Amino acid sequence: MKRKTVAFLFAFGALTMSSFAHAAEGPVRIGVLSEMTSILAAQQGPGDVVAVKMAVSDFGGKVLGRTVEVLSADPMSKPDLGALIARKWYDEDNVQVIVGGATSAIALAVQDISRAKGRVQLNTNVGTTELTGKRCSPTSAQWVFDTYALAKVATAEAQKDGKKSWYFIAPDYAFGHSMVKEATGFIDKSGSKVAGVSFYPSGSPDFSSFLLTAQGSKADILGMANSGEDLVNTVKQAYEFGNVAANQKLVALMAFLTNVKAAGAASTKGLTFAEAFYWDQNEKTREFSKRFAKLHNGAPPTSMQAGAYSATLHYLRAVEAAGTLDAVKVMEKMRELPVNDFMTDNAKLREDGSLLRDMYILRVKDPEKVKGEWDLLDVIGKVSGADAFRPLSESECPYIKK
């Protein structure tokens, strides 16, 4: 281990011990930081809170003999507000762990605070690889996906039919830039090319100019590096403005069940994308999803919401096993214990914070084959976590062993 690593962990451990020394033996608090009202609300938001509360209940409602409480807040897509919420939770409410992350920019801002305060952060709904790269933390994890894994799996699948050139439409913030960067790397390695990229302000309702530019590029594939309502609008307008008629293949680099539902089966027919979970995969996923839907207006969970449950449950197991709330010791135990639950089979949490879980390739069903409101997708492939995520040897995390 490098000297700077030893020094960092020593200082971090001292900070963590001091931060808990004054804490009253009151409830153990979990903070859920999630977009409750923005374009991302359906795929995370209130569903994240439902999932975390389910995990607490399934664990028994207590850890180390103390009641577990769940707080939640909406940062409204604003990094400064997310940072303010995190500071209040840590300094005034004695929150021990933050689950969610909301957006990549918010998660990065909060992760810097979590590192300084000596608290655990479990990023379950954000994708930027900076969270496990240059700005990684010894007490944080990226639980469900990252832009590297999504881009690697999605681009490989999209090019199986011989299509070679891409045009990207992406939001102009950390996630969008990270996604395009990762996807471009895989496309270049495959011998294909990127014909162009349009970055847009998040929340834009009109994608016509970007879609027409993409059509004019003559690219084989239109890569949509966005999510939420932005993705829904992009897909719908790609039909309206003729991209599909011009034989451009639509590929979502990150999509969720809720996006497909909102866009409609007719507009998304045949769309493929990478995912960490689908509610109808097997008996375990169906059983959990049935319980979740009863508490969430009849809707099954997205991978983000399922991941919020998974991360919370594993955290509580690690706290119990470690016998302490000390962030460093809890994270050591989280890395030591294999992750097993309804969506995860023997995944390992790596020292850079990446959870090496299996990723799946999903395809939207033909409308005539849909048998129910949420029966929208087929699982057509699987990629192991070891193959999907960035090799540790390529990690830019400054605290890992080299």
Side-chain angles (χ1 to χ4, degrees):
M1 185 179 292
K2 293 183 178 180
R3 289 184 179 179
K4 68 175 184 179
T5 305
V6 174
F8 174 85
L9 293 177
F10 179 81
F12 193 88
L15 170 64
T16 305
M17 292 295 288
S18 65
S19 67
F20 289 114
H22 69 279
E25 289 295 310
V28 175
R29 292 195 172 103
I30 299 171
V32 182
L33 192 64
S34 190
E35 292 289 293
M36 305 293 179
T37 55
S38 76
I39 62 173
L40 304 176
Q43 61 205 41
Q44 47 175 277
D48 281 353
V49 181
V50 169
V52 170
K53 287 183 176 180
M54 286 179 67
V56 171
S57 177
D58 288 353
F59 189 75
K62 291 185 176 181
V63 67
L64 303 181
R66 298 164 63 176
T67 300
V68 180
E69 293 183 354
V70 178
L71 308 182
S72 63
D74 181 0
M76 297 186 288
S77 303
K78 299 176 181 178
D80 56 343
L81 180 56
L84 184 66
I85 292 167
R87 290 186 186 280
K88 179 183 182 300
W89 276 351
Y90 290 151
D91 295 341
E92 299 179 22
D93 300 319
N94 197 32
V95 166
Q96 307 300 327
V97 54
I98 288 179
V99 178
T103 70
S104 290
I106 292 169
L108 286 167
V110 173
Q111 184 155 293
D112 290 341
I113 297 168
S114 300
R115 184 192 305 109
K117 297 287 185 179
R119 303 296 170 94
V120 174
Q121 182 170 329
L122 304 175
N123 299 297
T124 57
N125 50 29
V126 290
T128 179
T129 52
E130 286 190 49
L131 289 164
T132 54
K134 293 179 180 179
R135 294 174 65 178
C136 71
S137 167
T139 59
S140 293
Q142 197 156 14
W143 204 259
V144 181
F145 56 83
D146 65 21
T147 54
Y148 181 99
L150 292 175
K152 183 178 183 180
V153 175
T155 55
E157 178 65 23
Q159 295 178 152
K160 284 183 177 179
D161 59 2
K163 294 185 181 295
K164 292 291 187 179
S165 58
W166 292 70
Y167 192 96
F168 287 109
I169 294 178
D172 192 13
Y173 60 86
F175 167 80
H177 286 270
S178 180
M179 183 66 86
V180 171
K181 177 183 177 182
E182 300 292 357
T184 299
F186 294 120
I187 291 166
D188 289 344
K189 287 180 182 178
S190 71
S192 299
K193 66 177 182 177
V194 175
V197 183
S198 289
F199 289 105
Y200 67 89
S202 181
S204 298
D206 183 4
F207 292 86
S208 58
S209 63
F210 311 122
L211 289 165
L212 291 173
T213 301
Q215 193 176 146
S217 74
K218 305 299 183 181
D220 299 323
I221 303 171
L222 175 60
M224 297 167 290
N226 52 11
S227 190
E229 291 179 18
D230 283 359
L231 174 61
V232 172
N233 288 332
T234 308
V235 171
K236 286 183 174 180
Q237 291 173 36
Y239 277 82
E240 180 182 350
F241 290 100
N243 295 73
V244 176
N247 204 33
Q248 278 192 323
K249 181 176 182 176
L250 304 187
V251 174
L253 295 188
M254 185 175 80
F256 298 94
L257 177 66
T258 49
N259 306 146
V260 175
K261 177 74 160 51
S267 296
T268 55
K269 175 183 175 181
L271 183 71
T272 59
F273 54 95
E275 253 284 36
F277 165 83
Y278 179 51
W279 73 269
D280 199 21
Q281 285 177 262
N282 53 52
E283 285 303 315
K284 289 192 300 181
T285 61
R286 285 189 284 272
E287 188 277 332
F288 175 83
S289 298
K290 184 177 180 180
R291 290 200 296 132
F292 178 91
K294 288 181 179 179
L295 301 171
H296 192 52
N297 302 316
T302 64
S303 61
M304 290 180 171
Q305 294 157 349
Y309 175 99
S310 172
T312 301
L313 186 63
H314 193 69
Y315 169 79
L316 292 172
R317 288 171 174 168
V319 168
E320 194 72 44
T324 179
L325 290 171
D326 181 287
V328 170
K329 293 181 180 179
V330 170
M331 287 299 294
E332 287 176 351
K333 190 60 67 172
M334 290 184 74
R335 288 189 287 268
E336 175 186 327
L337 299 173
V339 182
N340 280 296
D341 51 57
F342 69 93
M343 70 174 297
T344 320
D345 292 317
N346 287 318
K348 293 292 290 184
L349 181 61
R350 212 165 56 182
E351 57 187 304
D352 64 344
S354 294
L355 180 63
L356 302 185
R357 65 165 62 255
D358 295 336
M359 298 295 292
Y360 301 91
I361 303 166
L362 304 185
R363 182 171 60 208
V364 179
K365 289 185 173 183
D366 290 346
E368 60 270 20
K369 294 182 179 180
V370 171
K371 298 178 181 179
E373 181 181 7
W374 295 99
D375 177 39
L376 301 173
L377 305 170
D378 285 318
V379 180
I380 63 171
K382 175 182 174 181
V383 179
S384 71
D387 290 333
F389 289 85
R390 188 190 305 278
L392 189 61
S393 61
E394 297 177 10
S395 174
E396 296 180 299
C397 176
Y399 307 128
I400 62 172
K401 301 174 184 177
K402 290 287 188 177

